[in-house]
Amino acid sequence: MLIVCGIILAVTFVERLPSNPNAIAALYESWIRLLEYVPMFLPLAVFMGTLLTSYTLTKSSESIIISSAGLSPYQSARPFFVGAFLIGAFATTVINPYSVSISAKKITPEHLQLIDNRIWLREASDNGFVTMNADGIQKSGDTLVFENTTIYTQSSDFKLTNRIQAETVTLSENGLTANDATIWDPDGTTKKTDWQIKTLLTPQTVLDRYLQPDQISFWQLPEFIKRMESIGAPIRGHQIQLWTLLFLPLTMISMAALGVAFSQTKQRRNYSFGIKFSLGIITCFALYFMINMFNALGATGTLPPILSIIAPPLIIIAGAGIFITSFDTI
């Protein structure tokens, strides 16, 4: 995993150098991107680590000693499973919250769920309605800055009262503000002036509602899903993200089981490790597409979210277990 992360960090660092003022800023941005890639390569790293360790045991004849001691393949593979479980649990409970916390400091439209490639916000209150759309968004301290923004204000009976257009609009705890905004009144007159309105929207509520599922910490997801469900917002993507993180240790165990299955051999000399290693990598990519297919079925509602997440690792564990059992009884 360190080798893979080192390659990704080096490539990303070189890519980010031209767009950053100095090497430290480029390295920090590369670190953030690396943390986003870790969950993608973690199962492959667990598989490769299991296979390489098993190969070393076979090459040094230690696997013969283990078998002679009366340990079954399941007993000898137990350390792999425990290690894989701990790696998955650490990734879920520590790496994911840390990654989300540092990536949330620099929010861009890529992190938000957009409609027609634009950001749309709407607030309803006793005083009327405020609807806003913008091209982009940036987080500046405790405020959100929207770019190329158009705002519509309506009375409680849905009558349009103003249209406001500004290059930048700032959302803070005190509401929406814009400098040098163009305001259209219902009678058709326009004026350029500073504009401000108090709203119930705050930077945190906007981020909570519009962030992508992978931009929310594992510890915050259950409460977030409850809040979104109470207001009738779609939560299927967030449910899949929650179950994915919760069952990540099981996914790691399934990849360790696959590594143990591929390492089974009765050859002590001239062990064709390269062929098995290549076949294992190809199998991992095939399983990666299978997992993505199940995730897509869960996202579209064809399968329950929990089933779409838990089914692939259970299938992998069952297949690996059958292979290990049949090989051991030959």
Side-chain angles (χ1 to χ4, degrees):
M1 190 63 194
L2 290 176
I3 294 173
V4 174
C5 288
I7 295 173
I8 295 174
L9 184 65
V11 172
T12 309
F13 175 69
V14 173
E15 287 181 346
R16 300 292 172 178
L17 269 177
S19 58
N20 283 277
N22 53 58
I24 300 298
L27 184 62
Y28 180 73
E29 190 172 348
S30 302
W31 172 250
I32 296 175
R33 297 293 295 174
L34 174 64
L35 291 175
E36 296 176 1
Y37 289 128
V38 165
M40 183 186 303
F41 291 102
L42 199 55
L44 181 62
V46 169
F47 168 79
M48 291 171 61
T50 304
L51 192 56
L52 286 169
T53 304
S54 299
Y55 167 69
T56 304
L57 292 174
T58 300
K59 187 177 180 181
S60 61
S61 299
E62 290 181 75
S63 59
I64 300 176
I65 301 172
I66 294 172
S67 300
S68 302
L71 293 178
S72 69
Y74 297 108
Q75 291 175 314
S76 60
R78 191 178 300 163
F80 293 118
F81 300 152
V82 173
F85 175 85
L86 293 177
I87 290 172
F90 182 77
T92 295
T93 58
V94 178
I95 295 180
N96 172 262
Y98 173 69
S99 173
V100 169
S101 65
I102 63 174
S103 64
K105 296 177 182 178
K106 188 177 181 181
I107 297 295
T108 66
E110 296 177 354
H111 298 118
L112 302 180
Q113 293 179 322
L114 307 183
I115 301 174
D116 296 332
N117 292 323
R118 290 181 67 85
I119 301 164
W120 287 84
L121 300 177
R122 189 170 188 269
E123 178 191 278
S125 65
D126 295 336
N127 298 325
F129 304 88
V130 177
T131 305
M132 179 178 72
N133 72 76
D135 282 344
I137 183 175
Q138 296 291 333
K139 194 171 187 289
S140 176
D142 295 329
T143 64
L144 293 178
V145 180
F146 298 90
E147 303 166 354
N148 193 16
T149 308
T150 303
I151 301 173
Y152 303 93
T153 61
Q154 297 169 274
S155 61
S156 56
D157 58 354
F158 300 101
K159 184 177 179 181
L160 185 67
T161 56
N162 288 114
R163 188 183 81 175
I164 301 96
Q165 194 161 352
E167 298 230 351
T168 59
V169 172
T170 302
L171 175 63
S172 64
E173 297 291 336
N174 299 322
L176 291 166
T177 57
N179 296 325
D180 198 23
T182 303
I183 303 174
W184 281 265
D185 292 325
D187 58 4
T189 59
T190 62
K191 58 183 177 181
K192 265 190 167 293
T193 183
D194 294 342
W195 175 84
Q196 182 176 5
I197 187 173
K198 288 187 175 295
T199 63
L200 300 176
L201 290 171
T202 64
Q204 190 58 45
T205 57
V206 170
L207 294 180
D208 284 347
R209 181 163 184 174
Y210 291 92
L211 279 177
Q212 297 279 12
D214 58 359
Q215 292 297 316
I216 303 169
S217 168
F218 167 75
W219 300 111
Q220 299 172 343
L221 268 172
E223 184 61 29
F224 180 84
I225 290 173
K226 289 181 181 178
R227 293 203 309 267
M228 297 296 285
E229 193 173 19
S230 65
I231 64 175
I235 59 172
R236 186 171 294 276
H238 299 85
Q239 286 178 327
I240 290 178
Q241 177 68 4
L242 174 63
W243 295 124
T244 298
L245 293 173
L246 187 62
F247 288 106
L248 185 60
L250 181 64
T251 302
M252 298 298 104
I253 291 175
S254 68
M255 299 310 293
L258 188 67
V260 172
F262 267 88
S263 67
Q264 297 297 300
T265 181
K266 294 188 181 296
Q267 291 178 287
R268 305 305 170 198
R269 297 180 179 179
N270 300 322
Y271 179 31
S272 56
F273 175 73
I275 297 176
K276 283 206 169 188
F277 188 79
S278 302
L279 290 175
I281 297 298
I282 294 173
T283 304
C284 277
F285 280 109
L287 293 175
Y288 177 76
F289 284 111
M290 182 189 75
I291 292 173
N292 282 346
M293 182 188 69
F294 272 86
N295 286 347
L297 292 175
T300 57
T302 306
L303 290 176
I306 186 172
L307 180 61
S308 66
I309 299 303
I310 200 174
L314 290 180
I315 293 172
I316 296 171
I317 291 173
I322 291 172
F323 181 84
I324 294 172
T325 303
S326 61
F327 186 89
D328 190 48
T329 56
I330 292 176

